[in-house]
Amino acid sequence: MRFRRRPFDIILEAVHYGPDGRTIAWARGYERLFSHYTDRRIFTRQDLIRALRQGKRIAVGQRRPLMGNQFAIQGEVVLAPHSSDLWLVTKGTPQDAPRELAGVPHL
């Protein structure tokens, strides 16, 4: 019997960095409500950290054109220690990354 993984609760498509250029100020993405995803919405850095601590799954991806609720997922977001802070990174990102969610399109 195969078990299906729980779908992602939030899918981020772009981020905006704070004044330091390294940590996220906010991100744009979609939130899953029941079986569908919302229209685009803005998540603060604290919203994302709170969601991860509550056990929600967050990913980075892009909505597939003309495919409704289907996304091309690029990676799952996790909290990782960085210096004296926690950073939002995708799984497999090296510890010496120059900023949070490096490689994600930014606004």
Side-chain angles (χ1 to χ4, degrees):
M1 177 181 234
R2 285 179 23 156
F3 291 99
R4 243 181 110 169
R5 289 198 76 176
R6 185 171 52 98
F8 292 105
D9 298 297
I10 297 171
I11 299 177
L12 304 176
E13 66 177 0
V15 297
H16 180 78
Y17 293 98
D20 66 359
R22 297 178 51 147
T23 57
I24 295 170
W26 52 269
R28 184 177 71 193
Y30 307 90
E31 183 173 19
R32 185 172 57 85
L33 295 175
F34 306 106
S35 63
H36 291 28
Y37 287 89
T38 62
D39 289 337
R40 287 183 179 137
R41 80 172 266 230
I42 301 298
F43 300 92
T44 65
R45 184 173 190 275
Q46 291 306 316
D47 292 338
L48 298 172
I49 291 172
R50 187 178 316 112
L52 286 170
R53 287 185 172 161
Q54 290 173 350
K56 294 187 177 183
R57 293 182 69 210
I58 300 176
V60 172
Q62 299 297 317
R63 185 167 255 172
R64 292 186 174 151
L66 306 174
M67 298 293 281
N69 270 345
Q70 294 186 14
F71 293 84
I73 302 297
Q74 298 158 344
E76 187 167 358
V77 177
V78 295
L79 284 174
H82 188 273
S83 300
S84 62
D85 198 9
L86 285 176
W87 271 21
L88 297 156
V89 298
T90 53
K91 281 186 179 177
T93 300
Q95 287 282 6
D96 60 347
R99 60 185 175 193
E100 288 186 302
L101 293 176
V104 176
H106 59 277
L107 303 166

